[in-house]
Amino acid sequence: MATVEAVKLKTRPLLPKFGVEILGVNLTEADRPTMAAVLDTFHKNGAILLRGQSLTPAQQVAFTREFGEPETNVREEHTVPEFPEVFVISNKIVDGKPIGNPEAGLNWHTDFQYGQRTALSTILHALEVPPVGSDTLLADLCSAWNELPEEKKRQIDGLQVHFSYQMFQDKRGVKLTQAEKDMMPDVIHPLVRTHPADGRKAIWGLAVSPVKEIVGMPEEEGLDLIRELIAYCTQEAFLYRHKWQPGDVLVWDNRCTLHTGTPFDMKNHIRHVHRTWVQGDKPF
Ligand code: SIN
């Protein structure tokens, strides 16, 4: 029987120590050993890119299942009809109505950080993209941890971050139902996280809008530390800038990356992207 080792994927790095582009694989036709090698590459490298793909929502959900159970979206608004797992990031208007959220993720965060089990990975599939702008930026949080001065490591290792989905939605003017509130209580996660695949560490609990405090620190002091760490982790040396082409599938590992979308000329161009999340676990 073929094994993961039996399939040698053709790859090239996105950054010297982070992320890999996988060449010559069509995700709708990949056999089991090839898919196993794709997953193995993902777990070791923090992000994978496959260009020239053409996935229907059902095929994207099937690909998502290769990584684990798809994560549900708390709110069904802006999901693909009949595919509640597929969130639409788009500025397209159909029959006078927006069919997606055009501005999802325009700030540094990792996905579903405010959930009890955070998202393991995020899969973005670009269907239409503008000629310039809308790049997705990924920061390599393991390299950021590895290169942090020892004294700073001692200062932040063990700190706990208080996330609040309800506060986050409140700031955006979104009124949650009681059922949505019950589904999303506040959670406490570590600032420095261990990757369950191989024990590598990442400076992880970073975001501003959904963070209430670092436990045990005055609120402003905690948020200042988070802002300082975001600035450190997102410096050029740790950053991959993804310039989209239609057909791209970009998958990143939320256990060791921080990401943000970037703006584009929404008046004159369309960006239409399908996003799925894979269920993760409680960070430790
Ligand atoms: C996200 O943060 O989920 C999306 C980022 C992007 O659209 O580039």
Side-chain angles (χ1 to χ4, degrees):
M1 201 174 86
T3 64
V4 170
E5 289 72 37
V7 172
K8 180 103 182 74
L9 297 175
K10 214 168 148 208
T11 60
R12 62 177 164 229
L14 300 177
L15 289 181
K17 291 188 196 159
F18 173 79
V20 159
E21 179 176 357
I22 297 174
L23 303 157
V25 171
N26 178 338
L27 288 174
T28 61
E29 292 171 357
D31 58 15
R32 299 315 310 157
T34 303
M35 197 54 90
V38 167
L39 292 184
D40 189 52
T41 304
F42 163 80
H43 284 294
K44 287 183 177 143
N45 291 283
I48 53 171
L49 166 67
L50 296 105
R51 294 211 192 257
Q53 308 295 318
S54 178
L55 303 182
T56 62
Q59 287 167 331
Q60 180 162 345
V61 172
F63 178 55
T64 305
R65 284 194 191 285
E66 298 286 349
F67 295 79
E69 200 49 40
E71 185 57 88
T72 45
N73 288 287
V74 181
R75 312 182 70 231
E76 281 202 4
E77 194 191 9
H78 301 145
T79 56
V80 174
E82 292 172 42
F83 291 95
E85 311 89 339
V86 183
F87 187 83
V88 183
I89 301 174
S90 180
N91 58 328
K92 254 190 188 173
I93 308 285
V94 175
D95 297 331
K97 281 202 201 119
I99 57 163
N101 179 344
E103 294 186 318
L106 289 183
N107 46 53
W108 290 108
H109 63 288
T110 74
D111 284 328
F112 217 54
Q113 251 174 331
Y114 37 68
Q116 302 189 61
R117 47 161 202 251
T118 61
L120 185 152
S121 60
T122 299
I123 300 172
L124 289 196
H125 182 30
L127 303 171
E128 277 182 68
V129 293
V132 283
S134 94
D135 302 343
T136 300
L137 311 183
L138 296 180
D140 168 9
L141 300 180
C142 291
S143 292
W145 168 260
N146 292 341
E147 293 184 29
L148 199 66
E150 288 305 318
E151 195 189 328
K152 195 76 182 176
K153 281 186 179 167
R154 279 194 293 277
Q155 184 198 339
I156 68 168
D157 202 3
L159 291 178
Q160 301 284 322
V161 184
H162 178 163
F163 289 90
S164 175
Y165 178 76
Q166 295 182 29
M167 181 193 75
F168 175 48
Q169 294 300 348
D170 210 42
K171 281 185 194 165
R172 300 173 60 221
V174 174
K175 289 263 162 288
L176 296 175
T177 63
Q178 192 55 46
E180 286 166 347
K181 286 185 187 171
D182 293 345
M183 215 162 114
M184 298 298 294
D186 286 11
V187 291
I188 307 286
H189 291 317
L191 177 58
V192 178
R193 166 173 200 174
T194 307
H195 199 295
D198 58 8
R200 64 196 195 267
K201 278 182 155 187
I203 309 173
W204 178 83
L206 303 177
V208 174
S209 304
V211 169
K212 222 168 183 169
E213 58 175 348
I214 294 184
V215 178
M217 283 175 85
E219 275 183 26
E220 258 326 294
E221 202 181 305
L223 286 171
D224 281 348
L225 175 59
I226 285 185
R227 287 190 195 97
E228 176 196 322
L229 290 169
I230 291 176
Y232 164 75
C233 291
T234 58
Q235 60 184 291
E236 212 52 40
F238 306 132
L239 211 60
Y240 168 65
R241 173 179 287 271
H242 185 63
K243 293 198 169 290
W244 289 97
Q245 296 175 12
D248 284 356
V249 170
L250 180 66
V251 188
W252 63 78
D253 188 335
N254 285 301
R255 299 165 297 185
C256 57
T257 57
L258 193 67
H259 67 272
T260 182
T262 58
F264 68 99
D265 176 1
M266 279 199 211
K267 277 208 188 106
N268 295 304
H269 296 288
I270 295 289
R271 181 179 196 254
H272 190 67
V273 173
H274 282 171
R275 181 185 77 193
T276 43
W277 285 339
V278 179
Q279 276 181 18
D281 43 18
K282 179 141 179 60
F284 61 94

